[in-house]
Amino acid sequence: MGNSALKAHLETAQKTGVFQLTGKGLTEFPEDLQKLTSNLRTIDLSSNKIELLPPLIGKFSFLKSLVLNNNKLTALPEELCKLKKLETLHLNGNHLRQLPAAFGQLSALKTLSLSGNQLRTVPTQLCGLRHLDVVDLSKNQIQNIPDTVGELQAIELNLNQNQISQISVQISHCPRLKVLRLEENCLELSMLPQSILSDSQISLLAVEGNLFEIKKLRELEGYDKYMERFTATKKKFA
């Protein structure tokens, strides 16, 4: 991509606050963007070949949305955690194995998508995020859900297509969790905490494609309580 094309994009971004450059084979984060650290609200560099997010990302203090789907990122810089206004972070289809230690400082974060990475655990850093609504960790290599999950503030947690065989009973204590997606994992029925059914806020539990027949779920204690929540929620949205 020529400099003149980039320049045109930068000029537009200066006016609109949006810099979008997708599918252009970029191998690095465009350094020229740092001229716009106070203008930009949205950066979308999806479907490129970016391997590294530079520390200068921390200077975009007004950034609300960062989209880097389908790149080649293997790690994220700690500086990313300085983005106090960031509400949306999409990093699907990269090679991430973990999140920066200070990730819990992204205090405005509402939507986090990390589908199709190489995470092996549910990152504990997510539990400090008070405004988190949706977390997508589908298509990773997560094998269990740890006790710390009880502090997660998300409304929806998507863990489809992982390798989960164990779930901490603490998941029932998530204060705002309404939707829990666990399709296509390695769960035996006995490993599904009954408290999810009898004693949680969860009103949509998606567990198709595990190591048990769905109809067996109906025989579990607490299933009728879960169905009450499920039906009430359905009526609300009907």
Side-chain angles (χ1 to χ4, degrees):
M1 193 178 110
N3 267 347
S4 55
L6 183 59
K7 203 171 165 209
H9 275 279
L10 288 169
E11 280 169 16
T12 310
Q14 191 162 8
K15 296 187 190 99
T16 60
V18 177
F19 185 83
Q20 187 176 28
L21 200 57
T22 59
K24 295 288 186 235
L26 294 182
T27 52
E28 12 189 84
F29 186 88
E31 288 222 333
D32 286 346
L33 281 186
Q34 57 188 326
K35 298 170 188 162
L36 301 177
T37 47
S38 56
N39 300 65
L40 290 182
R41 304 291 185 272
T42 299
I43 295 176
D44 183 354
L45 293 166
S46 297
S47 303
N48 282 295
K49 296 173 179 166
I50 298 168
E51 293 181 19
L52 215 58
L53 198 54
L56 67 88
I57 192 68
K59 294 179 180 169
F60 293 88
S61 43
F62 297 98
L63 201 61
K64 283 191 164 183
S65 173
L66 179 59
V67 185
L68 289 160
N69 295 333
N70 305 319
N71 275 283
K72 295 183 181 295
L73 297 170
T74 53
L76 300 169
E78 288 287 340
E79 286 80 3
L80 177 70
C81 308
K82 293 179 180 168
L83 301 179
K84 292 286 182 261
K85 292 197 185 326
L86 195 67
E87 294 177 8
T88 305
L89 181 57
H90 288 288
L91 295 160
N92 302 327
N94 281 282
H95 307 293
L96 298 169
R97 290 169 184 265
Q98 58 192 41
L99 297 178
F103 198 83
Q105 292 174 12
L106 290 171
S107 49
L109 202 60
K110 290 180 181 171
T111 304
L112 175 63
S113 274
L114 286 160
S115 179
N117 278 281
Q118 294 168 16
L119 298 172
R120 291 178 177 271
T121 56
V122 176
T124 51
Q125 297 95 313
L126 303 185
C127 297
L129 298 168
R130 295 278 160 247
H131 300 289
L132 210 50
D133 290 335
V134 179
V135 181
D136 185 353
L137 300 172
S138 62
K139 300 181 185 172
N140 277 280
Q141 297 160 16
I142 297 168
Q143 294 176 2
N144 61 31
I145 301 178
D147 288 346
T148 47
V149 78
E151 293 165 44
L152 190 70
Q153 300 287 323
I155 297 168
E156 175 169 345
L157 177 58
N158 185 344
L159 289 160
N160 290 345
Q161 292 178 284
N162 277 282
Q163 298 154 17
I164 295 166
S165 59
Q166 286 186 309
I167 303 176
S168 166
V169 68
Q170 296 296 328
I171 199 158
S172 322
H173 298 162
C174 290
R176 303 201 304 151
L177 192 61
K178 299 270 194 286
V179 178
L180 178 58
R181 302 187 187 279
L182 287 163
E183 295 181 13
E184 295 179 51
N185 276 283
C186 310
L187 282 169
E188 304 269 1
L189 190 59
S190 59
M191 297 316 263
L192 195 69
Q194 288 194 1
S195 56
I196 289 179
L197 298 172
S198 59
D199 195 24
S200 77
Q201 304 285 323
I202 296 166
S203 56
L204 176 63
L205 176 65
V207 286
E208 284 79 5
N210 279 282
L211 308 179
F212 59 88
E213 292 176 54
I214 286 297
K215 60 173 191 264
K216 296 277 187 212
L217 192 63
R218 298 178 201 138
E219 294 162 15
L220 289 184
E221 203 177 323
Y223 185 77
D224 47 348
K225 277 191 172 175
Y226 161 68
M227 279 316 287
E228 279 170 25
R229 295 193 304 273
F230 176 82
T231 312
T233 308
K234 237 179 159 170
K235 278 188 187 136
K236 210 159 73 181
F237 292 114

